Amino acid sequence: MAVISVPTDYNAEDLYVDLRSIVGHQLFLKCEGFNFAGSIKLKAATEMVEAAEESGALRPGCVLIESSSGNLGVALSIIAASKGYDFLCVTDARCNRSARRFMEAMGGQVHIVTEPAASGGLLGARIALVQRLCASDKRYVWLNQYANAANWRAHYRTTAPAIARHFPRLNVLFIGTGTTGTLMGCARYFRKLHRHVRVVAVDSVGSVTFGGEPGCRMIPGLGTSVKPALLDESFVDDVVHVREVDTIRACHRLARHGFLFGGSTGTVVSGAVEWLAQRPGQNLTAVAIAPDLGERYLDTIYHASWLHALYGDEMLHHTRGTANLARVAERRV
């Protein structure tokens, strides 16, 4: 029996889903959404807050402020509530409504940026607002998830060792890229172990993280319009870019088998399947990290009206047909 006194004390670390019968490849999905924040971001949030407290930057009376597309904001709202801090999340309209309501339920405030910056898009505008607010009031403490080394250290300490423990013969690890905290923490860990694990970054089409052309992205979580300061590409072996329509198809495909995951997970799974399909017969042991669960996406990627408004009838047809696609994959296994 587990008994806890603060929400950060619980995080299911060792749950994996074997996706072979769904995607037709030997792929294990590490589920990171089983905690009170519902996502992997609880790890980074905890590490960054504790580092700020230890350094003296974060003290009683301070106000936590962060730019977030949703999941980190949710995690910080939980920590702020449990520790007695005020919290302000600066986000934009792509942030899921359920995530905004969650933060407000925890006592946090949510500011939605509506106009993109001339350089850096909506993310650039969010960061600029955070900087202005910090300059105007010294009570604000910005953790800056995009450049804070505590972000990647959280995964160096927890996520990567957990994977190494359960998969001693791991060949390839697929990791979605947002701030690149998870990517950098895991990649640094396996590099230090001198283990030959191929690290594949999965990014969204329209993201500039790896130098791509900026484009419209409607699904929050992965991808960025400003290259993260944390990223060191020397630790990355391959990069796969996934279109949002393929993200949605992957999410619906998993849902047809009873697994409701978020958009970030759909992107990672889609990218992993694409990468593995190009290497048939290699008998690789592969793990992909699922950052979150799907409840916060019920009004978007799992909602027919949202899909139709953005992608038209073709997307509705494909999502309704994913059960048939899954059966094809099962026959190939």
Side-chain angles (χ1 to χ4, degrees):
M1 178 177 68
V3 179
I4 66 172
S5 56
V6 293
T8 52
D9 283 348
Y10 177 76
N11 193 359
E13 186 71 81
D14 298 326
L15 178 62
Y16 295 80
V17 177
D18 185 344
L19 295 181
R20 278 177 290 191
S21 65
I22 302 176
V23 302
H25 298 280
Q26 183 170 275
L27 179 64
F28 298 93
L29 191 62
K30 186 180 193 305
C31 301
E32 289 283 351
F34 291 96
N35 56 53
F36 283 93
S39 82
I40 196 170
K41 289 294 190 177
L42 185 62
K43 293 178 176 179
T46 301
E47 191 90 8
M48 290 190 294
V49 167
E50 290 179 352
E53 289 176 328
E54 290 171 6
S55 71
L58 183 58
R59 304 176 304 278
C62 288
V63 179
L64 280 169
I65 185 171
E66 187 57 77
S67 160
S68 170
S69 61
N71 281 339
L72 184 75
V74 166
L76 285 173
S77 72
I78 289 174
I79 296 172
S82 68
K83 288 177 172 286
Y85 298 116
D86 289 331
F87 172 61
L88 171 61
C89 179
V90 178
T91 187
D92 58 63
R94 294 172 298 182
C95 177
N96 292 324
R97 181 170 53 182
S98 60
R100 301 199 299 264
R101 288 178 174 173
F102 191 111
M103 288 184 270
E104 291 168 345
M106 291 291 111
Q109 291 183 298
V110 180
H111 182 97
I112 300 175
V113 169
T114 57
E115 294 296 326
S119 175
L122 287 169
L123 176 57
R126 281 161 36 188
I127 292 174
L129 177 58
V130 170
Q131 292 171 330
R132 290 197 301 272
L133 290 172
C134 288
S136 69
D137 191 333
K138 298 304 180 184
R139 292 178 302 162
Y140 284 117
V141 175
W142 181 28
L143 298 174
N144 191 2
Q145 61 167 327
Y146 312 102
N148 193 328
N151 185 345
W152 68 257
R153 282 199 301 266
H155 304 288
Y156 185 93
R157 288 195 314 103
T158 61
T159 310
I163 295 170
R165 183 169 62 251
H166 291 290
F167 294 89
R169 298 183 183 276
L170 180 66
N171 299 117
V172 57
L173 178 61
F174 298 96
I175 308 171
T177 57
T179 65
T180 69
T182 308
L183 176 67
M184 288 293 96
C186 291
R188 289 174 188 274
Y189 180 86
F190 283 107
R191 179 74 60 87
K192 183 178 180 181
L193 283 185
H194 303 289
R195 295 256 305 263
H196 185 62
V197 174
R198 198 165 188 83
V199 175
V200 180
V202 182
D203 200 10
S204 300
V205 170
S207 168
V208 304
T209 300
F210 294 97
E213 287 295 320
C216 178
R217 292 175 292 108
M218 298 304 299
I219 301 173
L222 298 186
T224 182
S225 55
V226 178
K227 187 171 182 176
L230 292 178
L231 177 62
D232 183 342
E233 294 187 46
S234 68
F235 287 94
V236 180
D237 296 299
D238 287 310
V239 179
V240 178
H241 285 90
V242 175
R243 300 180 306 159
E244 288 195 336
V245 291
D246 293 323
T247 290
I248 294 165
R249 288 167 183 159
C251 286
H252 282 258
R253 187 173 180 179
L254 292 169
R256 294 301 182 269
H257 285 77
F259 296 107
L260 193 72
F261 285 105
S264 298
T265 298
T267 303
V268 175
V269 170
S270 180
V273 170
E274 177 185 336
W275 191 93
L276 291 169
Q278 296 172 2
R279 293 157 180 83
Q282 294 190 20
N283 195 31
L284 300 171
T285 298
V287 169
I289 297 176
D292 59 1
L293 301 179
E295 288 89 345
R296 290 181 192 140
Y297 298 81
L298 292 176
D299 290 332
T300 54
I301 62 176
Y302 293 107
H303 197 284
S305 296
W306 188 87
L307 292 173
H308 183 268
L310 291 177
Y311 303 104
D313 292 334
E314 182 181 359
M315 174 53 68
L316 288 179
H317 171 74
H318 278 290
T319 55
R320 287 167 182 159
T322 49
N324 293 329
L325 293 173
R327 293 190 190 103
V328 171
E330 288 169 356
R331 288 197 293 268
R332 294 197 344 242
V333 176

